[in-house]
Amino acid sequence: MDPRRARDPRLARVDPRLQRGPSALPTPSSQQQSGSGQGATQWAANGVYMASQSMVPNVLVQEADTASENAIAGPSTPANNVGSAAYKPRPLFCVVCASNQNRSMEGHHVLQKAGYRVISYGTGSAVRLPGPSIDKPNIYSFGTPYNSIYEELNAKDPRLYTANGLLQMLDRNRRIKLAPERWQDSKTVADVVITCEERCFDAVCDDLLSRGGEFNKPVHVINIEIRDNHEEALIAGKAMLDLAAAIEISQDIDEDIDGILQVQQERHPHSLLHAIAFY
């Protein structure tokens, strides 16, 4: 190509090789032709239309500015939202009986099934289950898997242990967790401890007191007096559900606990005890 054509705008316009059809290139308006000399030179010298910065629509400039501001500010956070509610963690419930077999595991079962955060323990020195006679109980150490206990009792006398409900209870337990656990060996910090008889309530409070409260973490200990049989455990499981529901919806458990326990006592027949201890 003749080098003069790249420099002379008049020659570029008359060169037929550089001409475009009507639909290929936009025709500059009279307003654009009267614009800056630099914009007109860009059109002619390069053979293509290049809009000068002054021709960019204001809307696009505003959108670019808004996008830049959003990128600098970052995504909105709850702290920046005036009406956002404060985060409230869900409480962890701990159900405690003597052997972590019947009452505490029934409470563990119903609370877990309802979607609550729950763990369970026993406060006894060993796991004791009914045997062929009242003076011959089956005794196991804490940590013995429920499945191992189930298989051993099923091998001993399946008819007896099916009739008294032990095999059904152990089958439920082994579906929930591995083995019975002892409260005194636990390290988990719960928000609410529900005990199933007064001696377990005393054992939990005494143990927490002996730990010295090194974490300074308060815990509500509530006793629901339950007789140790399958029928009473089923009834008490429904009472634990009501208690857990009232505690979870409370915005301040320390302020509301007296009213919650009063309603609980009116709705259910079990006698209640309450204490505040510290981990």
Side-chain angles (χ1 to χ4, degrees):
M1 178 179 176
D2 190 345
R4 293 176 300 168
R5 297 183 185 273
R7 294 193 302 269
D8 192 337
R10 294 171 298 173
L11 296 177
R13 283 198 296 270
V14 298
D15 192 337
R17 292 175 298 176
L18 299 177
Q19 290 181 348
R20 308 289 183 183
S23 60
L25 288 176
T27 303
S29 63
S30 60
Q31 181 180 1
Q32 293 170 346
Q33 290 176 352
S34 63
S36 64
Q38 182 182 0
T41 302
Q42 290 175 347
W43 170 280
N46 300 333
V48 294
Y49 176 72
M50 295 179 61
S52 64
Q53 191 173 13
S54 61
M55 298 178 185
V56 179
N58 292 334
V59 176
L60 297 179
V61 176
Q62 292 173 358
E63 290 178 354
D65 293 341
T66 303
S68 300
E69 292 174 0
N70 291 339
I72 296 173
S76 61
T77 59
N80 296 329
N81 296 332
V82 177
S84 60
Y87 172 71
K88 177 180 177 292
R90 300 186 66 193
L92 175 64
F93 295 94
C94 176
V95 190
V96 181
C97 69
S99 295
N100 198 201
Q101 290 284 350
N102 180 33
R103 296 165 292 179
S104 63
M105 287 303 291
E106 176 62 25
H108 191 147
H109 170 67
V110 297
L111 292 177
Q112 180 176 278
K113 187 176 180 180
Y116 294 99
R117 300 174 61 230
V118 59
I119 53 178
S120 60
Y121 296 105
T123 58
S125 58
V127 175
R128 290 176 170 80
L129 297 174
S133 61
I134 194 171
D135 58 338
K136 295 180 179 179
N138 293 288
I139 302 176
Y140 302 91
S141 60
F142 280 96
T144 305
Y146 291 115
N147 188 61
S148 299
I149 302 174
Y150 177 92
E151 291 178 350
E152 181 177 320
L153 296 183
N154 190 43
K156 283 183 178 180
D157 193 338
R159 186 174 179 177
L160 169 65
Y161 295 118
T162 299
N164 65 11
L166 277 187
L167 292 182
Q168 297 91 316
M169 179 190 73
L170 290 166
D171 183 56
R172 175 204 64 196
N173 294 351
R174 66 181 178 176
R175 297 173 188 272
I176 298 173
K177 65 178 188 177
L178 177 63
E181 300 171 271
R182 192 165 184 256
W183 164 267
Q184 289 83 346
D185 300 329
S186 69
K187 302 298 181 183
T188 305
V189 176
D191 297 293
V192 178
V193 177
I194 302 174
T195 59
C196 300
E197 64 176 293
E198 189 171 350
R199 64 170 178 160
C200 298
F201 176 84
D202 294 339
V204 167
C205 292
D206 291 344
D207 179 70
L208 288 173
L209 186 61
S210 68
R211 297 186 188 190
E214 56 180 330
F215 300 132
N216 198 31
K217 168 69 169 63
V219 54
H220 291 270
V221 185
I222 303 169
N223 183 68
I224 301 177
E225 195 67 27
I226 309 168
R227 295 174 59 188
D228 193 5
N229 59 61
H230 302 300
E231 294 76 16
E232 291 295 326
L234 286 172
I235 295 172
K238 299 175 182 178
M240 291 184 197
L241 274 177
D242 287 349
L243 179 60
I247 290 174
E248 181 150 297
I249 65 174
S250 171
Q251 294 301 315
D252 190 338
I253 181 62
D254 297 328
E255 291 290 333
D256 299 340
I257 189 63
D258 290 338
I260 291 173
L261 294 179
Q262 182 178 352
V263 172
Q264 182 77 12
Q265 189 67 81
E266 293 171 355
R267 291 181 177 179
H268 299 280
H270 313 93
S271 60
L272 301 176
L273 294 173
H274 172 250
I276 298 178
F278 290 84
Y279 278 101

